[in-house]
Amino acid sequence: MIGLLQTGSLPFATDFAVIIITAVLLSYLARLTGQPTIVAYIFTGLVLGPVFLDVVSQSELVVLMSELGLGFLLFLIGMKMRIDDIREILRPIINIAIWQTILQTALAFVVAFALGFTLLETTVIALATVFGATPIIVKLLSDKDELATLPGKIDVGVLIIQDIYLVILLAVLSAESLSNPQEIAVSVGTILLLMGGVGIISYLSARYLLPSLFRAVAEDRRAFFIVGIAWAFVFILGTEQLNLSLEVGAFLAGLSLAQVPYTSELTERVRPITDFFMVVFFTSIGLQLAADSLLAYWVEALIASAALMVGNFLIIFYLIDREQFTPETSFIGSLNMAQVSEFSLVVGALAVTRGFIDASILGYLSLMAIVTMSLSTYLINYNYQIYERVKPYLARFESEEKRDVDLHVYQDHAVVVGYDEIIRTALPLLQEHFGDVVVVDRNPAHAEVHQSADYEYIYGDFKHGEIRSGAGLKRAAFVLSSTVEPDINRILLEEIGDDTVVFAEAESTEDAADLYDRGAHYVILSTALTSEKLTDHLRLYFNESEEFWAVVDSDIGHLRWIRGEFDG
């Protein structure tokens, strides 16, 4: 204990304990009021820092952990960026994202300059407030099962391009000075060149190395997790050796992992440690602010919040409408993206560290982020209800030329949980009847079989919400569960739609009765079926021996056929 006190480890541990306990309490209050947990983390820093109690300081360990928090946040975001998810609408997304970045930056610049900020402050503010709140938007749309909708895919596509821009911006802000345009141009060119080289390595790894690497370790859950984390640190180390920020390496590491079939499961495994680091990161932003810094520009922050939310909505509505999408898609897609995101704090915190702005500007950005993210949470949760109210006023935007892209969305399909010989024989019938079939399987030995098949395959544990969302469970017409784990079958019975038919398997009569009580339409009780089959075979053996041996020969032939199909 004396050693701990001498080295200062005890205060570090105490700080972390206070931060985590406070964050948990405020996160609970945030959920009760429908607010994103990121807002609770910022308030954690404000409560514990100079603004209120002033009981936690920004120690070296807190700074280090917060830096890792930003890296892991971008690592997680990179893992969500599957290009295949937006390939169908990639061209309009690129057009929307580029012009959105230009127009929203210009709007933020005009608003900040009109409010009296200096040219350098205005520039940083304009660059910081152009992003959508990726974690919040993706989480809320996922909870509402709207990620697969056309507005959801447009928003996610724009966020992907914004996040690439964010990584470049963070690298630029790491430069020594922003006053020399030529130096900035050279810096950006160097960054893009280095990112291109690392990106090529990332692409080649995703294509040739990562699938076999994760297949080799997927059966060992600890090794699976460690390999994923180690992959992030390999890229972090590589980019830092090239004088790029760790955020660039973490983002590119996640981007390479996004293209392999193990991404969803790895995302769920990494999320807890990422959430921990994010708590420290956003808390550290609140710890940087004194009361006078937070409230120095509170009037300007409220004015700017209103101007930017309205302006951002109008800009994105115009850009989506210009791509000839329907007014509903334009309205929903732009309403989801109206906020100033937490990434404004990321950019602002780095700008403070580099000495480009002072803490009062970070306070201004913090207030804007809190206000707009809080309001936009309700806008996203009630987006379609709001649309129905304003729909008559959007009639002027209707035209025969405007139509939405027909995206392939899983609807009225079959979801299969688990995979074995029995499931394999049932799949052709399910495909014939439902067309689309999604198989969720956590056995890596089956990966090659799944990847060569003509159904959708998701590797992972069905207990994880992101896995169920990816399989479109809420929109499925039929679910076949071959697992006897009661927890998994109960979860799927809680989340299915009202008209979904469920066939599930149970290990005992008690579990079977429970599943029927919870709404299962048919429960496969293998023990009961086996005993019934055994009794029938015994009767044949004792009374009709010739028929019995004929059945045995038939069973052996059928087993050989199944084994050949399963192995081949």
Side-chain angles (χ1 to χ4, degrees):
M1 180 63 72
I2 294 174
L4 286 175
L5 289 170
Q6 288 175 341
T7 59
S9 297
L10 187 60
F12 286 163
T14 304
D15 283 353
F16 273 112
V18 172
I19 288 171
I20 297 302
I21 292 170
T22 306
V24 168
L25 293 174
L26 293 180
S27 296
Y28 176 72
L29 293 176
R31 282 194 293 271
L32 290 179
T33 56
Q35 290 300 310
T37 53
I38 289 174
V39 172
Y41 301 157
I42 298 170
F43 271 109
T44 299
L46 296 177
V47 169
L48 300 179
V51 173
F52 289 106
L53 301 178
D54 198 16
V55 294
V56 174
S57 60
Q58 270 208 303
S59 63
E60 292 181 6
L61 185 58
V62 171
V63 172
L64 174 61
M65 297 290 278
S66 67
E67 188 175 2
L68 286 173
L70 176 55
F72 272 96
L73 173 60
L74 290 170
F75 177 58
L76 192 64
I77 287 172
M79 283 200 293
K80 291 180 176 293
M81 295 187 176
R82 286 179 55 85
I83 302 303
D84 288 342
D85 292 344
I86 60 169
R87 193 180 301 278
E88 297 165 281
I89 49 174
L90 189 58
R91 185 196 60 79
I93 280 176
I94 291 174
N95 290 340
I96 293 168
I98 291 175
W99 281 106
Q100 176 264 345
T101 301
I102 294 171
L103 294 177
Q104 286 194 9
T105 301
L107 172 65
F109 187 94
V110 170
V111 170
F113 197 73
L115 291 173
F117 293 102
T118 68
L119 183 60
L120 180 58
E121 291 171 343
T122 298
T123 301
V124 173
I125 291 169
L127 293 174
T129 52
V130 71
F131 307 101
T134 301
I136 294 173
I137 294 171
V138 171
K139 177 67 168 61
L140 292 175
L141 293 182
S142 177
D143 290 345
K144 296 183 66 185
D145 201 23
E146 292 181 12
L147 278 179
T149 64
L150 182 56
K153 287 205 171 189
I154 291 173
D155 290 339
V156 169
V158 172
L159 291 171
I160 287 175
I161 296 174
Q162 282 185 356
D163 293 336
I164 294 172
Y165 168 63
L166 169 67
V167 173
I168 296 171
L169 179 59
L170 291 176
V172 170
L173 287 175
S174 298
E176 293 297 328
S177 173
L178 293 180
S179 59
N180 189 333
Q182 184 176 357
E183 181 183 337
I184 293 175
V186 172
S187 177
V188 170
T190 304
I191 290 166
L192 292 176
L193 184 63
L194 292 175
M195 283 183 63
V198 178
I200 291 172
I201 295 173
S202 173
Y203 169 79
L204 294 175
S205 300
R207 188 172 181 86
Y208 299 108
L209 173 62
L210 291 176
S212 57
L213 176 62
F214 278 102
R215 193 182 306 123
V217 300
E219 289 187 9
D220 187 333
R221 296 191 177 188
R222 293 183 180 87
F224 185 81
F225 169 78
I226 292 299
V227 168
I229 297 296
W231 186 254
F233 278 104
V234 166
F235 272 74
I236 287 172
L237 178 62
T239 49
E240 287 199 325
Q241 291 298 313
L242 296 172
N243 293 321
L244 294 173
S245 65
L246 71 85
E247 293 83 10
V248 173
F251 176 79
L252 291 173
L255 193 61
S256 62
L257 291 174
Q259 315 312 316
V260 299
Y262 304 95
T263 308
S264 297
E265 179 67 12
L266 184 60
T267 299
E268 292 293 339
R269 301 277 177 85
V270 172
R271 190 185 303 279
I273 190 172
T274 303
D275 288 345
F276 172 75
F277 282 129
M278 282 176 60
V279 170
V280 181
F281 173 74
F282 286 107
T283 297
S284 72
I285 291 175
L287 293 175
Q288 293 181 46
L289 300 172
D292 55 347
S293 297
L294 180 67
L295 302 175
Y297 298 107
W298 70 270
V299 175
E300 290 87 346
L302 294 178
I303 294 172
S305 296
L308 292 180
M309 286 193 75
V310 174
N312 291 349
F313 169 82
L314 294 175
I315 286 170
I316 299 179
F317 183 93
Y318 163 73
L319 293 173
I320 299 177
D321 181 74
R322 193 180 67 161
E323 295 296 329
Q324 299 299 305
F325 292 111
T326 62
E328 178 179 343
T329 296
S330 301
F331 183 86
I332 299 296
S334 52
L335 195 66
N336 295 341
M337 299 275 286
Q339 71 288 114
V340 173
S341 90
E342 74 284 352
F343 287 134
S344 65
L345 308 184
V346 172
V347 175
L350 181 57
V352 169
T353 302
R354 305 299 296 174
F356 300 137
I357 58 174
D358 59 37
S360 62
I361 305 301
L362 181 58
Y364 167 82
L365 292 172
S366 299
L367 279 179
M368 278 202 299
I370 291 170
V371 170
T372 61
M373 285 192 295
S374 300
L375 291 175
S376 70
T377 298
Y378 297 107
L379 295 179
I380 295 173
N381 280 328
Y382 299 102
N383 50 11
Y384 280 94
Q385 292 91 323
I386 296 172
Y387 170 74
E388 290 300 323
R389 294 290 185 91
V390 302
K391 185 177 180 179
Y393 304 102
L394 299 175
R396 68 186 67 182
F397 296 100
E398 296 277 4
S399 72
E400 294 182 0
E401 291 78 20
K402 292 179 180 178
R403 61 184 63 190
D404 289 336
V405 177
D406 291 326
L407 296 176
H408 181 69
V409 177
Y410 289 117
Q411 186 77 40
D412 297 328
H413 58 299
V415 174
V416 177
V417 183
Y419 186 80
D420 52 27
E421 289 110 326
I422 297 172
I423 292 296
R424 176 153 189 166
T425 59
L427 283 174
L429 183 60
L430 292 176
Q431 287 179 289
E432 178 184 344
H433 189 78
F434 295 101
D436 288 328
V437 176
V438 181
V439 176
V440 179
D441 183 22
R442 64 183 180 188
N443 188 340
H446 301 155
E448 291 185 6
V449 174
H450 292 314
Q451 288 169 12
S452 61
D454 56 353
Y455 50 77
E456 181 70 18
Y457 158 58
I458 299 176
Y459 171 81
D461 192 332
F462 200 75
K463 290 180 182 178
H464 295 154
E466 187 159 320
I467 302 290
R468 300 194 300 274
S469 177
L473 178 64
K474 294 179 181 179
R475 302 185 303 276
F478 183 88
V479 178
L480 172 59
S481 173
S482 69
T483 179
V484 294
E485 294 185 40
D487 290 345
I488 292 180
N489 289 324
R490 289 167 188 159
I491 288 171
L492 72 86
L493 286 168
E494 289 173 1
E495 291 192 7
I496 56 170
D498 295 335
D499 299 324
T500 305
V501 175
V502 175
F503 281 26
E505 189 169 350
E507 200 168 26
S508 66
T509 54
E510 290 82 3
D511 289 341
D514 180 65
L515 293 178
Y516 274 123
D517 290 341
R518 292 173 183 271
H521 295 78
Y522 177 66
V523 178
I524 307 160
L525 190 57
S526 55
T527 52
L529 294 174
T530 301
S531 64
E532 183 179 345
K533 188 76 170 177
L534 175 61
T535 303
D536 290 342
H537 276 58
L538 285 172
R539 286 197 184 98
L540 282 177
Y541 177 72
F542 293 132
N543 301 318
E544 303 286 345
S545 60
E546 291 185 7
E547 185 175 345
F548 169 77
W549 292 114
V551 169
V552 171
D553 289 339
S554 175
D555 286 350
I556 292 172
H558 186 62
L559 287 172
R560 286 173 177 167
W561 176 81
I562 290 176
R563 175 55 61 189
E565 286 288 305
F566 196 75
D567 292 339

